[in-house]
């Protein structure tokens, strides 16, 4: 669970990129890991990027990002962070939704940056957990998933789930 001692070092984070993901939240998540490694002078963290099929993903800024592999290449002990952005509802991939459900059954820590709570909710994973989402998407999300407690805060950590509302959160 988030906040507990990692199972092993370096602690692994797998960032799953959704088409039109926002680059700022991804950079804001990865850079503290890199800086922690540098400041500690050892590898406390490692990270990788993935897409549903291992193909490059185009961010909301139009930049294509080459990923390290498909979601099927993610290690068993990785913390999985889904990264999305604008028009997330148009980029919900059934293969990814099913993969996230399977990963959840495996007991991994799951997170979502920016608008990724939408994908996690589509996968049925938000029930009983607090979450947040980018403020522009809050009304639509609350309407689409009325049984989910969405706070509108900058971030939420609820047991094995972490959500962040955007890049500077």
């Amino acid at each position: 669970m988030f906040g507990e001692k990692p199972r092993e070092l370096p602690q692994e984070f797998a960032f799953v990129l959704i088409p039109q993901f926002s680059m700022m939240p991804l950079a804001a998540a990865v850079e503290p890991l890199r800086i922690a490694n540098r400041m500690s002078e050892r590898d406390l963290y490692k990270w990788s990027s993935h897409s549903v099929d291992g193909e490059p993903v185009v961010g909301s800024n139009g930049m294509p990002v080459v990923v390290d592999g498909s979601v099927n290449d993610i290690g068993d002990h990785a913390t999985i962070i889904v990264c999305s952005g604008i028009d997330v509802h148009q980029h919900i991939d059934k293969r990814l939704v099913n993969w996230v459900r399977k990963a959840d059954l495996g007991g991994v820590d799951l997170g979502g940056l920016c608008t990724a709570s939408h994908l996690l909710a589509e996968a049925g994973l938000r029930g009983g957990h607090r979450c947040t989402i980018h403020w522009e998407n809050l009304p639509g999300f609350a309407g689409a998933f009325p049984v989910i407690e969405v706070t509108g805060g900058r971030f939420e950590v609820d047991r094995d789930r972490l959500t962040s509302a955007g890049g500077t959160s």
Side-chain angles (χ1 to χ4, degrees):
M1 291 199 194
F2 289 104
E4 293 183 3
K5 186 176 179 179
R7 294 178 186 125
E8 59 185 41
L9 289 178
Q11 186 174 0
E12 184 180 354
F13 287 85
F15 293 92
V16 178
L17 308 182
I18 307 299
Q20 296 296 303
F21 75 96
S22 182
M23 193 76 69
M24 188 176 284
L26 176 62
V30 171
E31 283 301 298
L33 304 176
R34 181 191 66 80
I35 292 167
N37 285 351
R38 182 173 180 209
M39 298 303 291
S40 70
E41 297 180 345
R42 63 189 198 131
D43 288 338
L44 298 173
Y45 305 102
K46 66 179 180 177
W47 54 91
S48 56
S49 60
H50 302 267
S51 65
V52 70
D53 55 8
E55 294 297 315
V57 181
V58 177
S60 62
N61 59 8
M63 292 176 61
V65 174
V66 175
V67 296
D68 297 307
S70 79
V71 292
N72 296 318
D73 298 322
I74 296 174
D76 293 336
H77 299 294
T79 296
I80 298 165
I81 308 291
V82 180
C83 306
S84 61
I86 59 174
D87 297 325
V88 63
H89 59 284
Q90 294 178 8
H91 302 290
I92 302 295
D93 186 304
K94 289 183 182 185
R95 296 172 297 173
L96 182 57
V97 168
N98 290 331
W99 182 85
V100 167
R101 285 181 187 141
K102 183 178 174 186
D104 180 56
L105 291 173
V108 301
D109 290 340
L110 283 167
L113 302 179
C114 196
T115 60
S117 283
H118 193 93
L119 182 123
L120 298 177
E122 286 286 339
L125 305 185
R126 295 275 27 120
H129 289 81
R130 285 183 323 279
C131 71
T132 192
I133 196 165
H134 191 277
W135 65 270
E136 290 179 316
N137 298 83
L138 185 60
F141 181 86
F145 304 101
V147 299
I148 296 175
E149 181 184 354
V150 59
T151 67
R154 291 184 183 138
F155 63 90
E156 288 292 338
V157 178
D158 189 351
R159 293 160 281 168
D160 57 349
R161 302 284 160 67
L162 166 98
T163 52
S164 172
T168 58
S169 299

